[in-house]
Amino acid sequence: MDDLDRLKAELFKDPEFKAEYDALEPEYQLIRQIIKARAEKNMTQKELAEKIGTKQSSIARLEGGTYNPSFQFLQKVAGALGKRLSFALV
């Protein structure tokens, strides 16, 4: 177990921290999927941005988790990556 794993285990003992972490997981899962799909296409952030008519900085903010995109923006990103945006309410 490395230092990060130990820190994470310690932090997860706090129920409030764990609840906040869990609440952010869907967002980070989507970001990971976008980055993976872009990498599989060997596409740069700039190329993806040009394909959907936005700036590279918008893609960087999206992938960095500092941008709150609209559903329509996410649909454009998915389409440009040859994917379809879908979600489920569980």
Side-chain angles (χ1 to χ4, degrees), residues 2-83:
D2 65 9
D3 290 341
L4 181 59
D5 290 333
R6 279 191 285 277
L7 175 61
K8 195 173 175 183
E10 186 65 30
L11 290 171
F12 278 3
K13 291 178 184 177
D14 178 351
E16 287 183 41
F17 178 87
K18 178 77 167 91
E20 288 296 321
Y21 181 91
D22 290 345
L24 291 172
E25 180 55 26
E27 179 180 344
Y28 289 122
Q29 185 178 31
L30 175 62
I31 290 168
R32 284 191 300 271
Q33 290 176 8
I34 289 169
I35 294 169
K36 180 181 176 189
R38 184 176 59 75
E40 287 172 352
K41 295 262 184 198
N42 293 317
M43 190 181 291
T44 66
Q45 289 180 343
K46 184 176 181 183
E47 290 168 335
L48 176 56
E50 288 172 353
K51 197 165 184 178
I52 64 170
T54 193
K55 296 179 181 179
Q56 178 271 333
S57 60
S58 295
I59 302 302
R61 288 193 323 272
L62 172 66
E63 291 183 358
T66 61
Y67 179 54
N68 189 14
S70 68
F71 187 77
Q72 290 79 13
F73 184 82
L74 291 173
Q75 285 181 305
K76 286 181 184 180
V77 170
L81 294 170
K83 303 290 183 179

